[in-house]
Every structure is written in structure tokens, then in C-alpha cells.
């Protein structure tokens, strides 16, 4: 998995890293049980501060994507709390769909976008 950070983006660097790791999992580039590089190694590879990587890993752990182990580092491990995952998805999509409505994007257009993105991860 190649991580690229847009240093000109308004999005926080730790969130960009978090998102790219999630995209890698969704696209099956990273699988459950795989190890991520150490915080130091990821920081060096990507060209960012170790604290930024640490924050991204901590967020991924809190969201149920990673298990952090002192001996083995960051391991992809899903906590399977589907009810929480569904509620988190609803909360995130509520804001995204509110933005879409404000920009005059129709429900059909939004659904088509969801289908396209979902299929991009599955192919």
C-alpha cells in the first residue's frame, strides 16, 4: 500500500493517513492480521512527524480497525460491533448528505455515488 499525503490539503495529515489505511483495508490491499509499519517507520516512509502517525494509529484503534501491541506493533484487527459501526456510519453520512442537499445533489445522484464508490472498493 502506497500512502500519499497532500500537504496542501485542509484535511489534517493524521486524518489523511487514517483514511488511506481504511481505503487500503476496504480495497483488500491490507488484510486482517497484517502489520502496519512501526510509527517511526511510517513517519519516515511518508515524511511526517511520528506524533502524527501515532495519532492516526490511535484513531484507527478507537474506531476498531487496529490492535496496538507493544511487541508486535499495529495489527489490522476489526472489532465487530456492527451496531456501533452502523450508528457511526449514520452519523458520518448525515453530515455528508446534509452537505449534498445544500449543494442541490439529488437523492438519486447521491445513491449513484455511493454505488460507484462501493463498487470501486470491490473491484
Amino acid at each position: 500500500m502506497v500512502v500519499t499525503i497532500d500537504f496542501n490539503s485542509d484535511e489534517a495529515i493524521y486524518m489523511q493517513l487514517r483514511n488511506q489505511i481504511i481505503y487500503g483495508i476496504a480495497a483488500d490491499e491490507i488484510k486482517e492480521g497484517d502489520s502496519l509499519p512501526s510509527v517511526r517507520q511510517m513517519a519516515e516512509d511518508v515524511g511526517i512527524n511520528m506524533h502524527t502517525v501515532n495519532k492516526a494509529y490511535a484513531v484507527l484503534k478507537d474506531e476498531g480497525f487496529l490492535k496496538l501491541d507493544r511487541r508486535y506493533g499495529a495489527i489490522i484487527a476489526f472489532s465487530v460491533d456492527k451496531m456501533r459501526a452502523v450508528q457511526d456510519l449514520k452519523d458520518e453520512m448525515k453530515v455528508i448528505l446534509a452537505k449534498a442537499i445544500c449543494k442541490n445533489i439529488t437523492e438519486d445522484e447521491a445513491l449513484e455515488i455511493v454505488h460507484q464508490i462501493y463498487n470501486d472498493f470491490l473491484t
Side-chain angles (χ1 to χ4, degrees), residues 2 5 10 20 31 40 45 48-49 51 54 56 59 65 68 72 78 83 85 87 96-97 102 110-111:
V2 176
I5 299 297
D10 290 337
Q20 292 215 7
K31 298 175 181 11
R40 177 173 281 135
D45 291 348
I48 59 178
N49 188 290
H51 297 293
N54 199 43
V59 170
F65 293 100
L68 300 177
Y72 303 110
F78 307 121
M83 287 179 56
Q87 187 59 51
I96 292 168
L97 292 175
C102 291
L111 288 172

Side-chain angles (χ1 to χ4, degrees), residues 37-50 53-54 57:
S38 69
V39 169
R40 177 173 281 135
Q41 186 63 53
M42 179 68 85
E44 186 178 307
D45 291 348
V46 179
I48 59 178
N49 188 290
M50 286 179 20
V53 175
N54 199 43
Y57 282 10

Side-chain angles (χ1 to χ4, degrees), residues 13-15 17-18 21 36-44 46 48-63 66-70 73-74:
I13 293 172
Y14 80 94
M15 288 301 289
L17 178 57
R18 166 210 175 250
I21 292 169
L36 292 178
S38 69
V39 169
R40 177 173 281 135
Q41 186 63 53
M42 179 68 85
E44 186 178 307
V46 179
I48 59 178
N49 188 290
M50 286 179 20
H51 297 293
T52 303
V53 175
N54 199 43
K55 188 169 184 177
Y57 282 10
V59 170
L60 288 163
K61 177 187 176 286
D62 290 345
E63 293 177 340
L66 281 184
K67 178 176 73 172
L68 300 177
D69 184 288
R70 289 185 190 269

Side-chain angles (χ1 to χ4, degrees), residues 77-92:
F78 307 121
S79 73
V80 187
D81 182 353
K82 189 165 183 176
M83 287 179 56
R84 177 182 168 207
V86 168
Q87 187 59 51
D88 289 348
L89 180 62
K90 283 181 181 180
D91 293 344
E92 291 177 33

